[in-house]
Amino acid sequence: MMIPDFKQTVPVDQIGVEERVARFRTRSIKKESKLFALKLALQMVDLTTLEGMDSPGKVRQLCYKAMYPHAADPNIPMVAAICVYPNRVRLAAEILKGSGIHVASVATSFPSGMGTLESRIEEVKYAVDEGADEIDMVISRWAFLKGEYNYVFDEIATFKEACGPAHLKVILETGELETYENVRKASDIAIYAGADFIKTSTGKISPAATMPVTLVMLYAIRDYYLRTGNKVGMKPAGGIRDAKTALHYLVMVKETLGAGWLTPDLFRFGASSLANDLLMQIIKQKTGQYQSPDYFSIG
Amino acid sequence: MSNRLNVLKTCKLYIGGKFSRSESEHYFQALDKKQKPLANLCRGSRKDLRNAIQAARKAQAGWAGRTAYNRGQILYRMAEMLEGRRDQFVAELENAAVTRRRAESEVELAIDRLVHYAGWTDKYPALFSSVNPVASPHFNFSIPEPTGVVGIVAPDDNALIGLVSLIAPVIAGGNTCVVVSSEKHGSIACTLAEVIHSSDVPGGVVNVLTGFRAELVSHLAGHMDVNSVLSAANDPEQKKIIQENAHLNVKRVHFYDATDWMKEQAQSPYYIMDFQEIKTTWHPVGT
């Protein structure tokens, strides 16, 4: 496979991207289609908790939320995965065993990525050993911004190797990459280095996921697919809080990559509060009554 | 006789401290007592109602968290602003519905009623709290706390005094509210929203919608994030709908459809207590 020269910049039409996104936001989805999309979006959620205060109890609660999102309605689908720190992976894997819900773990000195290469590899291996089947890594933004693209490429390839059978999601932290061209370049590097998913953000800095940035990344995925026939997944993370925005993302994916990407295997939302808003909207669609967070479990 | 065309006001909705048009982009015309066009009103939709309830929910904790004294100051400020707009309200009421004399007394009473409730904010908790004798070493006391978000359905007559008499006790007690105004007198509700807007009431504490009541009431009563509904509209069909839908989350429902708001008895701290929940606390004490 020909790896492109990353010193060459793929131009991105900033105005074009933003206007295209504005179009997606005007799409209106109603009735059965809306219910379908809401349920699909829920199945795509990576329920996330990445706080220094994540106790085993908090993680346990989140796992139950993943398996039984809304006990009052057993027909509601489960989320795609739980995303936790490596030292909580074992617990999550034990609870979720047999449920079909994936256990994702951030690793590689999340969120800054400023550890030594050895310790970062060690962390990936540890998380996989503990039972994680998806690893969310962060790239070295300092190296990328310095123009050391080979360094970034090599570190991703190294982590991919350390992952073994586990899927690798590469977090670009687009909020630190400054331009759409950089986002595109980082996406290309990650994809060609072996990422199974590319992911916008850690959720620790603002701005996190935005629709224009996601669209630029989707273009990178599309170009790669057209060139090689391989499908890479996409995960916007951070800042997606309401169902309406989630539906706009689905529209964007459908109209950019096609219906083939509308599956939890290729598209995820990294979020925590989104799940409850999706649930509230699902129940609203079913009952016709607007819902209150008072009647939904916190997760 | 000049050829000047009167500029009719387009009354907007008041949601979350902002005057906005209806997302439905629909309007309807209100008529004066001679059946001439009086104003263009927004025909608030189900989604405007949802937005208003969201705004009310967002504002509720902050409003309840203000000191009772501060809430009193703000209600008093509303009275001051209403006093400043006295002539406007008299003219609007006279135009819309009643005689000049009646309009004057209604405006004066509305101002006095706001002052009445302004005085009650820091006194009703003392009056309705209690220390309860219990047979164990506990200090046991009960205090009133606001119910939360209250949906208010305005009466068709008493355009100003009716509305003020419903809103004032609800917000005096730390609740926030969403008002579905009368179809006939939406413009008065709209002008009252301008008064509220200019009197330090935080955005979202009072939200005012105009529109067709029949389109809004069932959604108001069914919304799971509304804690209580107060209706002064005398419509048996809508009363039934309110009661049916309110059961979903066991809303507190009050109907004030037979009250004469011009009477002195139409103001009392018991109206505040209709939208309070009693919390009882057991605190251990040493012997």
Side-chain angles (χ1 to χ4, degrees):
Chain A
M1 182 175 54
M2 258 292 281
I3 289 171
D5 176 7
F6 296 121
K7 294 254 185 288
Q8 303 291 320
T9 298
V10 179
V12 177
D13 173 4
Q14 183 187 343
I15 304 289
V17 163
E18 280 160 11
E19 287 199 340
R20 185 90 183 102
V21 163
R23 289 282 186 102
F24 295 131
R25 287 192 215 274
T26 63
R27 302 283 193 278
S28 173
I29 301 168
K30 304 279 183 206
K31 308 243 158 73
E32 304 85 48
S33 318
K34 184 170 184 187
L35 188 58
F36 176 83
L38 289 168
K39 283 186 173 176
L40 181 64
L42 185 64
Q43 287 170 279
M44 290 171 163
V45 169
D46 281 7
L47 213 52
T48 305
T49 182
L50 297 169
E51 304 289 340
M53 55 184 178
D54 287 346
S55 61
K58 170 93 190 285
V59 171
R60 192 173 286 123
Q61 183 191 9
L62 200 71
C63 290
Y64 286 125
K65 177 80 180 170
M67 291 192 286
Y68 315 105
H70 186 52
D73 186 343
N75 294 321
I76 284 179
M78 295 187 293
V79 303
I82 283 284
C83 186
V84 291
Y85 272 118
N87 60 346
R88 295 284 171 255
V89 166
R90 180 181 288 267
L91 173 68
E94 270 168 24
I95 299 170
L96 297 173
K97 200 172 176 186
S99 68
I101 296 173
H102 297 286
V103 179
S105 173
V106 295
T108 72
S109 303
F110 181 92
S112 67
M114 297 301 267
T116 62
L117 191 58
E118 293 74 30
S119 72
R120 296 171 75 201
I121 295 171
E122 209 46 50
E123 203 184 357
V124 171
K125 287 183 172 160
Y126 170 78
V128 174
D129 284 346
E130 292 285 285
D133 52 6
E134 299 180 355
I135 298 295
D136 290 24
M137 63 156 284
V138 287
I139 63 168
S140 297
R141 278 87 76 190
W142 64 267
F144 178 87
L145 293 170
K146 231 175 119 191
E148 294 185 14
Y149 304 132
N150 288 343
Y151 180 93
V152 178
F153 187 94
D154 290 346
E155 74 171 2
I156 296 170
T158 310
F159 295 139
K160 172 71 186 167
E161 203 184 326
C163 274
H167 277 211
L168 180 68
K169 301 192 201 117
V170 179
I171 303 172
L172 309 180
E173 194 63 301
T174 51
E176 290 182 351
L177 298 187
E178 323 222 323
T179 65
Y180 290 143
E181 272 87 2
N182 278 348
V183 171
R184 170 69 201 234
K185 186 172 290 184
S187 304
D188 285 337
I189 293 172
I191 290 169
Y192 279 93
D196 296 298
F197 263 81
I198 51 176
K199 174 173 167 184
T200 56
S201 328
T202 58
K204 297 294 179 197
I205 70 148
S206 184
T210 64
M211 284 185 71
V213 155
T214 307
L215 183 60
V216 170
M217 293 167 72
L218 292 175
Y219 284 148
I221 292 173
R222 184 172 70 183
D223 290 347
Y224 180 72
Y225 173 71
L226 292 175
R227 201 167 156 212
T228 66
N230 295 330
K231 290 178 174 175
V232 173
M234 174 71 212
K235 176 177 171 184
I240 305 168
R241 288 192 185 85
D242 55 68
K244 198 174 188 178
T245 312
L247 297 193
H248 290 155
Y249 271 91
L250 292 187
V251 168
M252 180 162 75
V253 171
K254 169 103 192 301
E255 294 186 16
T256 309
L257 297 175
W261 260 264
L262 289 182
T263 149
D265 294 336
L266 287 169
F267 192 77
R268 298 279 182 82
F269 291 107
S272 41
S273 54
L274 172 64
N276 259 1
D277 198 53
L278 286 167
L279 287 171
M280 277 165 54
Q281 299 306 322
I282 290 171
I283 303 296
K284 154 76 178 63
Q285 281 309 109
K286 289 187 170 185
T287 62
Q289 303 297 350
Y290 287 112
Q291 299 299 305
S292 158
D294 289 357
Y295 304 96
F296 292 82
S297 61
I298 48 173
Chain B
M1 184 82 187
S2 84
N3 293 327
R4 196 176 164 277
L5 215 54
N6 284 338
V7 178
L8 288 190
K9 185 165 152 190
T10 303
C11 298
K12 294 190 188 176
L13 308 175
Y14 183 54
I15 298 174
K18 290 197 176 73
F19 288 94
S20 51
R21 293 172 195 278
S22 168
E23 72 62 60
S24 71
E25 298 184 349
H26 288 196
Y27 296 87
F28 68 104
Q29 206 166 49
L31 303 175
D32 65 14
K33 63 184 175 189
K34 291 177 192 140
Q35 302 304 311
K36 295 246 175 59
L38 176 70
N40 296 317
L41 300 176
C42 287
R43 183 173 154 191
S45 69
R46 175 166 67 83
K47 290 192 177 169
D48 294 317
L49 181 72
R50 175 200 61 188
N51 295 345
I53 292 167
Q54 262 171 10
R57 170 59 62 200
K58 217 172 139 196
Q60 203 270 322
W63 179 240
R66 297 226 175 189
T67 60
Y69 174 65
N70 186 229
R71 285 204 304 275
Q73 285 178 309
I74 290 173
L75 275 153
Y76 192 85
R77 180 79 181 153
M78 276 171 70
E80 288 175 3
M81 300 312 279
L82 197 54
E83 182 84 50
R85 294 230 203 178
R86 209 179 146 129
D87 296 342
Q88 185 189 355
F89 272 100
V90 169
E92 282 194 24
L93 280 170
E94 195 191 358
N95 230 341
V98 294
T99 61
R100 179 156 192 98
R101 180 181 290 185
R102 159 84 192 207
E104 275 169 356
S105 62
E106 191 171 334
V107 175
E108 280 163 13
L109 196 56
I111 296 165
D112 293 352
R113 191 145 294 169
L114 283 168
V115 173
H116 173 87
Y117 284 110
W120 271 117
T121 57
D122 57 356
K123 296 170 193 71
Y124 80 88
L127 207 59
F128 294 98
S129 294
S130 59
V131 174
N132 315 311
V134 288
S136 60
H138 288 92
F139 178 47
N140 182 295
F141 56 99
S142 302
I143 49 165
E145 288 190 339
T147 300
V149 174
V150 180
I152 297 179
V153 183
D156 274 327
D157 10 274
N158 300 309
L160 178 64
I161 185 68
L163 207 51
V164 167
S165 305
L166 299 184
I167 295 173
V170 166
I171 63 172
N175 302 286
T176 55
C177 63
V178 174
V179 180
V180 176
S181 59
S182 137
E183 272 162 52
K184 245 163 71 186
H185 301 311
S187 61
I188 305 277
C190 215
T191 314
L192 185 65
E194 288 167 13
V195 167
I196 292 166
H197 188 63
S198 56
S199 39
D200 305 334
V201 179
V205 170
V206 180
N207 304 275
V208 181
L209 301 177
T210 51
F212 297 158
R213 208 160 55 200
E215 291 177 349
L216 298 171
V217 160
S218 69
H219 292 288
L220 179 70
H223 198 301
M224 298 291 280
D225 218 10
V226 173
N227 303 108
S228 179
V229 174
L230 158 59
S231 173
N234 200 354
D235 182 329
E237 191 54 37
Q238 282 173 12
K239 278 169 82 169
K240 182 164 165 278
I241 291 173
I242 289 174
Q243 279 178 322
E244 279 172 358
N245 286 357
H247 91 276
L248 288 166
N249 63 339
V250 208
K251 286 181 188 67
R252 237 170 236 295
V253 176
H254 292 283
F255 294 114
Y256 295 169
D257 48 4
T259 314
D260 181 354
W261 299 110
M262 298 297 282
K263 285 226 171 85
E264 172 116 26
Q265 292 91 311
Q267 58 185 31
S268 93
Y270 289 100
Y271 284 110
I272 301 178
M273 287 309 291
D274 277 351
F275 303 95
Q276 300 287 306
E277 310 298 323
I278 298 295
K279 182 170 88 178
T280 295
T281 305
W282 296 67
H283 194 283
V285 285
T287 45

